[in-house]
Amino acid sequence: MSKKTKRDRIEHWTRRHDKAIPYGFFARLSDRWCARKDARAPLPEVLLKGGDVDSAPGERTWSTPRTAFLGQLGRGWTEKSLLRYQDEVGPVRIELTQARARQKIARDRLELAQHTVENLSMPTQQQLEARVSGEERTSDEIRIARRMREHGERRKSLEAEVSKHRTALDSIDTEIAKLEETIKVKFEYVRTQAEIVEAYVRRRSAVYLAHLVRMHPQGEQIGLLVRPDWEDKPRWCAWTTPRELEQAVASHESPVAEGERR
């Protein structure tokens, strides 16, 4: 086998799932063969008891070695997708944290500049008529006009500073919005991947259970106890925002866990 063939096969099994996973011939043959094999085994060897032992029989979760294997297979795929997502958004989160820090500084500067403009009062009559060095022979009208012009220039300078800080804050807000949207898009993508994997696992489990129920002598009882649901479905598949995932990671809670569905 050439290196190119090996590389192509590795890429085939490790590439991202952006469309439905094909249920190939060998996978279907494997599921049917396992169903035929389990159909020859007694019921205690086929069923695996899960859930709370003290719970009512109807509340317990039942599976078979094959459905448990398929569940773990899907869980591994989705966990790998989640790790890839966290690796990709790591640098983006750092940029987002830095941008939010700059946003706070820019907002504080803007508020300070606005406060300075709002509290800039008109000069009093005494200040307008005050004489400084070189103005001993200057008339009152010229001095007042000069003081008013200086006040106007001062106010115009402060308003320009407010506009500059507002422009900087708007630029940072736009940057933050882009970074948050990037994280959201990546999260939606990885969640879609998990849903595709879930559909694939459910399909294989359903095919396996359909053959097992049809061929096993106690198939009717198996059909009542075992369901083709993927019990290891990641909880984060039901989340709607990346922030829920960040909170789970921050609290050291496993992002991939059993139960807690919508």
Side-chain angles (χ1 to χ4, degrees):
M1 183 183 299
S2 64
K3 292 184 179 180
K4 183 178 182 303
T5 303
K6 291 181 180 180
R7 185 175 63 252
D8 292 342
R9 290 191 176 185
I10 292 174
E11 291 177 354
H12 171 76
W13 288 107
T14 58
R15 72 176 185 272
R16 296 184 178 185
H17 303 299
D18 52 359
K19 58 183 179 180
I21 303 174
Y23 190 12
F25 170 77
F26 291 104
R28 189 182 299 272
L29 181 64
S30 175
D31 294 334
R32 292 188 178 185
W33 181 85
C34 289
R36 185 180 297 275
K37 178 176 67 69
D38 292 341
R40 295 194 294 266
L43 194 62
E45 297 181 10
V46 175
L47 294 181
L48 301 177
K49 186 186 301 182
D52 188 359
V53 178
D54 298 330
S55 60
E59 299 176 355
R60 295 179 185 174
T61 57
W62 295 87
S63 63
T64 69
R66 187 61 178 178
T67 57
F69 164 77
L70 293 174
Q72 292 300 317
L73 176 66
R75 180 172 179 175
W77 282 354
T78 55
E79 198 167 320
K80 183 177 69 174
S81 298
L82 181 63
L83 291 175
R84 184 185 292 115
Y85 160 78
Q86 292 176 327
D87 179 66
E88 289 180 354
V89 302
V92 182
R93 284 204 188 104
I94 294 175
E95 293 181 18
L96 182 59
T97 302
Q98 295 173 343
R100 285 172 177 167
R102 296 199 307 272
Q103 182 190 47
K104 184 179 183 303
I105 296 174
R107 186 178 290 113
D108 292 341
R109 289 176 176 174
L110 176 60
E111 291 176 356
L112 179 60
Q114 289 176 335
H115 179 74
T116 304
V117 172
E118 292 171 358
N119 289 273
L120 182 65
S121 58
M122 290 290 295
T124 63
Q125 188 66 25
Q126 184 180 1
Q127 292 173 336
L128 291 175
E129 296 177 354
R131 294 178 183 271
V132 297
S133 178
E135 293 183 340
E136 291 80 2
R137 299 181 180 181
T138 306
S139 63
D140 293 342
E141 292 79 5
I142 294 177
R143 289 200 310 274
I144 292 174
R146 184 177 295 169
R147 301 292 184 273
M148 290 299 297
R149 184 173 63 253
E150 292 174 353
H151 174 77
E153 291 175 353
R154 169 65 175 164
R155 186 176 188 86
K156 188 178 297 184
S157 174
L158 291 175
E159 290 176 347
E161 187 175 354
V162 170
S163 177
K164 181 185 70 174
H165 290 315
R166 183 177 289 111
T167 301
L169 181 60
D170 292 341
S171 176
I172 296 175
D173 289 342
T174 302
E175 180 184 357
I176 290 176
K178 290 180 179 179
L179 293 173
E180 290 178 342
E181 185 65 20
T182 299
I183 294 177
K184 182 179 179 181
V185 169
K186 288 181 179 294
F187 179 78
E188 290 294 333
Y189 180 78
V190 75
R191 194 174 62 158
T192 301
Q193 287 182 311
E195 292 172 351
I196 291 174
V197 172
E198 180 196 2
Y200 174 74
V201 172
R202 286 179 182 273
R203 184 181 182 187
R204 291 191 62 173
S205 298
V207 170
Y208 162 79
L209 288 175
H211 284 77
L212 178 63
V213 169
R214 185 166 60 249
M215 292 184 291
H216 199 281
Q218 295 175 286
E220 184 176 353
Q221 185 177 357
I222 294 176
L224 295 175
L225 294 175
V226 181
R227 293 292 180 268
D229 293 343
W230 176 16
E231 297 176 0
D232 290 337
K233 177 182 178 180
R235 178 169 52 210
W236 56 270
C237 287
W239 294 347
T240 56
T241 62
R243 186 170 298 276
E244 293 170 301
L245 177 59
E246 294 176 6
Q247 292 172 352
V249 174
S251 61
H252 305 288
E253 179 184 356
S254 175
V256 183
E258 298 180 4
E260 194 170 327
R261 303 185 185 179
R262 281 186 175 182

